[in-house]
């Protein structure tokens, strides 16, 4: 079960305006969350004491939101409370992430949720980006977009088609009609290649190395960057990658660049591989990491490099929790 929160305000304390605000709020919550009526357990409203002319629950029923228990209560008259404000809590039977909605004057109650919040986290392989990004997204209740997974999906396609990744034209033809999408299941990213969930197949050492090669082609990047920008414009999300702060979202308000010593990064990746049942010696992991670093940093298009306005965090000697709180402190200062 999940709870969706929301709030809005009413122009005047009259039934028409209450009906209008409640309908607008519920319509927006349902559409932004792709919510079906049969997923709803109940809807509860509370309204500030200056709303006296109509029950928000009645307005909801009249607007067609009527297949579940509805409830309204009145809040005490508290000095300084936002005027004519209606708050809602919707309990829903679902496990995937939900989006809270704040409209009209109520936007000021949750500035963090009332605008699209993008956080760019760039850095080399093994710097801790994906672990940290996932935790931050979860803490803030926003999505996590693993952009590397998209390049990995293209690399997997090359492997499956036995395509020569060094031949630009072969890769160009291969991706002409490629269908790469990301979806979310229980808050976790699912990477779809031509409709198939390839989330685990893209994590092999072979795909890792190949992804670094194919991501250097400008036509590959153009296609993936368009998709990343589209997602970032629609949803609040943490994006991790190599060029988010420099190229994908150069105007992003929150940019971080994680680094770590290559031996530390290789140790982390080696342990991660062992936990996933991938066998590769530490020396080979280190060699792969250094080779990928070289490619990612030296390619002509959108190479891995820190944006001038990114905050650099060297994670070599830091725990995950320390990196997460360093980033969250910076973000929460501003939202
Ligand atoms: O983050 P990752 O290891 O999953 O990324 C796989 C490869 O994709 C990486 O070597 C470089 C490339 N990549 C990129 O060029 N730009 C991004 N935004 C993300 C990844």
């Amino acid at each position: 079960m999940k709870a969706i929160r929301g709030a809005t305000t009413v122009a005047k304390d009259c039934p028409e305006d209450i009906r209008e605000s409640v309908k607008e709020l519920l319509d927006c919550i349902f559409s932004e969350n792709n919510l079906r009526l049969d997923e709803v357990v109940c809807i509860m409203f509370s309204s500030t004491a200056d709303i006296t002319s109509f029950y928000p629950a009645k307005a909801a029923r009249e607007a067609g939101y009527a297949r579940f228990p509805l409830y309204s209560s009145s809040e005490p008259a508290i000095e300084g409370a936002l005027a004519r404000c209606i708050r809602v809590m919707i309990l829903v039977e679902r496990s995937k992430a939900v989006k809270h909605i704040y409209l009209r004057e109520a936007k000021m109650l949750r500035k963090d949720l009332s605008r699209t919040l993008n956080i760019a986290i760039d850095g080399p392989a093994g710097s801790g980006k994906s672990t940290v990004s996932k935790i931050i997204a979860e803490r803030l209740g926003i999505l996590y977009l693993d952009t590397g997974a998209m390049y990995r999906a293209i690399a997997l396609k090359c492997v499956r088609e036995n395509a020569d990744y060094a031949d630009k034209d072969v890769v160009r033809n291969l991706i002409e009609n490629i269908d790469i999408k990301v979806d979310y299941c229980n808050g976790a990213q699912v990477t779809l290649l031509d409709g198939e969930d390839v989330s685990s197949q893209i994590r092999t050492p072979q795909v890792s190395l190949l992804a670094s090669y194919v991501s250097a082609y400008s036509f590959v990047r153009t296609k993936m960057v368009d998709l990343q920008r589209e997602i970032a414009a629609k949803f609040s999300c943490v994006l991790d990658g190599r060029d988010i702060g420099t190229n994908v979202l150069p105007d992003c308000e929150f940019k971080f660049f994680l680094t770590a010593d290559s031996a530390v990064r290789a140790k982390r990746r080696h342990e991660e591989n062992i936990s996933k049942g991938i066998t590769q010696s530490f020396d080979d992991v280190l060699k792969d990491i250094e080779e990928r670093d070289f490619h990612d940093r030296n390619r002509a298009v959108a190479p891995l490099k820190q944006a001038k306005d990114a905050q650099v965090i060297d994670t070599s000697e830091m725990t995950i929790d320390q990196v997460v709180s360093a980033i969250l402190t910076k973000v929460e200062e501003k939202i």
Side-chain angles (χ1 to χ4, degrees):
M1 179 120 67
K2 284 256 154 74
I4 307 178
R5 295 300 323 257
T8 187
T9 52
V10 174
K12 279 201 295 311
D13 178 23
C14 64
E16 296 69 43
D17 287 358
I18 292 171
R19 282 192 187 101
E20 185 187 307
S21 285
V22 167
K23 183 174 183 324
E24 180 188 47
L25 179 62
L26 293 180
D27 287 352
C28 186
I29 290 176
F30 273 71
S31 75
E32 289 290 319
N33 284 282
N34 272 327
L35 191 60
R36 299 188 317 267
L37 292 176
D38 63 294
E39 288 179 285
V40 176
V41 177
C42 65
I43 303 187
M44 294 169 279
F45 295 94
S46 72
S47 41
T48 45
D50 50 6
I51 294 185
T52 58
S53 66
F54 206 68
Y55 291 119
K58 193 165 183 215
R61 190 168 342 113
E62 287 180 6
Y65 295 97
R67 294 174 45 173
F68 23 74
L70 294 160
Y71 171 81
S72 304
S73 67
S74 183
E75 297 168 16
I78 292 175
E79 210 188 310
L82 183 62
R84 294 179 302 286
C85 177
I86 296 177
R87 291 177 171 81
V88 69
M89 178 145 81
I90 308 185
L91 296 184
V92 294
E93 212 62 85
R94 67 154 57 167
S95 46
K96 68 177 180 201
V98 294
K99 195 167 172 196
H100 309 287
I101 304 289
Y102 288 77
L103 301 177
R104 302 192 183 203
E105 303 298 311
K107 281 183 180 170
M108 55 90 70
L109 295 171
R110 290 300 304 263
K111 294 195 186 79
D112 54 333
L113 299 175
S114 309
R115 61 177 173 154
T116 309
L117 173 69
N118 294 145
I119 302 174
I121 303 188
D122 288 306
S127 56
K129 293 180 314 266
S130 65
T131 310
V132 163
S133 300
K134 273 182 212 155
I135 300 174
I136 289 174
E138 196 180 330
R139 297 260 177 95
L140 294 172
I142 62 180
L143 294 180
Y144 160 56
L145 180 62
D146 170 6
T147 62
M150 299 177 174
Y151 297 100
R152 285 170 177 269
I154 294 180
L156 180 64
K157 177 104 176 170
C158 289
V159 174
R160 287 182 168 177
E161 304 276 322
N162 211 4
D164 178 5
Y165 62 86
D167 187 332
K168 226 177 173 170
D169 292 330
V170 168
V171 180
R172 197 194 301 274
N173 283 336
L174 194 80
I175 70 155
E176 194 133 293
N177 295 311
I178 202 170
D179 177 23
I180 293 181
K181 286 204 181 75
V182 296
D183 199 355
Y184 290 88
C185 180
N186 296 337
Q189 176 171 325
V190 173
T191 307
L192 301 163
L193 169 62
D194 298 327
E196 179 193 342
D197 176 1
V198 292
S199 310
S200 53
Q201 288 97 312
I202 57 174
R203 298 290 153 195
T204 65
Q206 184 194 18
V207 171
S208 300
L209 215 47
L210 216 64
S212 181
Y213 277 89
V214 296
S215 63
Y217 293 130
S218 59
F219 51 90
V220 167
R221 300 204 73 82
T222 309
K223 199 161 174 146
M224 294 305 103
V225 168
D226 284 351
L227 185 56
Q228 292 157 19
R229 287 188 181 141
E230 212 178 279
I231 296 170
K234 257 201 253 163
F235 304 104
S236 288
C237 54
V238 181
L239 299 93
D240 86 1
R242 302 291 188 286
D243 63 334
I244 310 300
T246 49
N247 178 46
V248 181
L249 303 175
D251 298 327
C252 183
E253 193 179 350
F254 301 104
K255 294 183 187 177
F256 299 91
F257 191 87
L258 306 192
T259 59
D261 189 70
S262 60
V264 172
R265 293 189 281 122
K267 183 167 173 284
R268 289 176 184 160
R269 191 48 54 91
H270 186 232
E271 283 165 4
E272 188 186 329
N273 285 352
I274 291 172
S275 75
K276 287 183 184 158
I278 298 171
T279 41
Q280 198 184 18
S281 72
F282 172 81
D283 288 346
D284 283 346
V285 175
L286 179 61
K287 204 168 115 261
D288 278 3
I289 281 215
E290 286 174 345
E291 189 176 338
R292 280 174 67 191
D293 279 0
F294 181 82
H295 269 277
D296 296 345
R297 286 183 196 281
N298 293 292
R299 64 182 178 220
V301 200
L304 165 67
K305 73 168 196 271
Q306 71 196 62
K308 283 198 191 78
D309 50 350
Q311 191 193 334
V312 181
I313 303 176
D314 184 342
T315 70
S316 306
E317 311 261 310
M318 291 171 86
T319 63
I320 290 163
D321 277 352
Q322 287 171 329
V323 183
V324 167
S325 58
I327 294 178
L328 278 180
T329 306
K330 281 277 162 206
V331 173
E332 283 166 351
E333 252 168 30
K334 288 210 193 165
I335 58 176

